[in-house]
Amino acid sequence: MLNDKLSDMAKERILYTTLTLLLCSLLLNACQQEEFLDVNQTDEIHFLPSESVATRAGLTDLQTGGFSVWGDYTLNGQSVKVFNGRKVYYTTGWRYDNPEYWTTGASYTFFALYPPVVANDNSYTIPAENGYTISNNILTYDASKQVDLLYAYATATYTGSGSVSTVPMNFCHTLAAIDFSIKLQEGITPTNSYELKSIEWGGMFTQGSFPLNSGNTPIQWTYIGKNDQTVSITQFSATQLAPSVAITPNACVYIIPQNPGNVTLNFNLQINGESITIPKVITGVDWEAGQRYLYNVTIAPTEITVETTPWETPRIDDIVIET
């Protein structure tokens, strides 16, 4: 009987020792994990769209609609996702919900998009009107949705307190913008009624993709489908052409950057009620990302003169369309 009690006591001691060792092991492992993920709870990750490109990157649109950010870091060969389409919005400054903090020794990669997605950090939904989808860090864009797609990419390495705080997000236009301003030649009294119906051109790629985490500037597009699509503008500020007031489209046309070489612009008019299409082949066309091409069209009884200017720095290229 006594031996049985001694045996039970020995078993209890062994069990107690085992549990104690297990608890110590768990605590030690937790300490190691805490050391591995040295998160600085005072240095919050902040984002700031670059001021240097504020005008060309549509800072007003960003402040109004916000943008979505993705981001992860690598440390000791492990990758950890921090942001998964989280929305960054502007009130008195740029902020997002549920603050994240820097991890010491980690190397971060971020990319951001406008228009933003409908998202939280577990999943997100991309509205159809955004015009893009994302799969395996590849963005696919459909130009039929006509949005000014903005993209930013940034990297950072956090080495300790105060080494990094704000991530500069240098947003850029991923597309080219085509715009028109059309009027009759000044100094003449038109004897005919000139009504603008539409402007069209063909031979376009309207779908493409690019990698979101490559950091390429400019964006390296891969075309999808054939360059056999037609672009058409039918909505204008007015339709009746006059020398004094220029007609403009209600919105510019956003296209995937491409180098078609030769493009035939078709100006569809009604002159005294008769439908007339005036084509003009323009050569050397290279529509680049981040450039806005404004075609200033002047219609005279014998010609149409077109001047083009990019998104930022004006550049003049005169061509004449014989009627």
Side-chain angles (χ1 to χ4, degrees), residues 123-146:
S123 62
Y124 57 85
T125 301
I126 304 176
E129 59 269 22
N130 281 17
Y132 63 82
T133 58
I134 299 173
S135 178
N136 297 323
N137 278 344
I138 300 294
L139 181 145
T140 301
Y141 174 74
D142 181 357
S144 67
K145 300 302 181 182
Q146 285 297 291

Side-chain angles (χ1 to χ4, degrees), residues 16 58 145 184 233 243 311:
Y16 176 79
K145 300 302 181 182
L184 292 181
I233 303 174
W311 212 311

Side-chain angles (χ1 to χ4, degrees), residues 21 25 70 92 135 157 178 182 186 217 222 267 271 284 288:
L21 290 174
S25 176
W70 289 256
T92 56
S135 178
T157 299
I178 312 300
I182 310 103
E186 295 183 8
T217 303
T222 298
F267 295 87
I271 303 178
E288 301 176 355

Side-chain angles (χ1 to χ4, degrees), residues 251-266:
C252 63
V253 175
Y254 297 109
I255 64 169
I256 294 173
Q258 49 198 292
N259 182 8
N262 299 337
V263 173
T264 301
L265 297 175
N266 292 304

Side-chain angles (χ1 to χ4, degrees), residues 125-191:
T125 301
I126 304 176
E129 59 269 22
N130 281 17
Y132 63 82
T133 58
I134 299 173
S135 178
N136 297 323
N137 278 344
I138 300 294
L139 181 145
T140 301
Y141 174 74
D142 181 357
S144 67
K145 300 302 181 182
Q146 285 297 291
V147 298
D148 187 7
L149 179 62
L150 305 181
Y151 167 75
Y153 175 87
T155 60
T157 299
Y158 185 80
T159 58
S161 180
S163 61
V164 184
S165 178
T166 300
V167 181
M169 304 304 289
N170 300 317
F171 278 92
C172 63
H173 293 279
T174 65
L175 306 170
I178 312 300
D179 207 352
F180 293 87
S181 177
I182 310 103
K183 65 179 181 179
L184 292 181
Q185 185 181 46
E186 295 183 8
I188 66 170
T189 301
T191 58

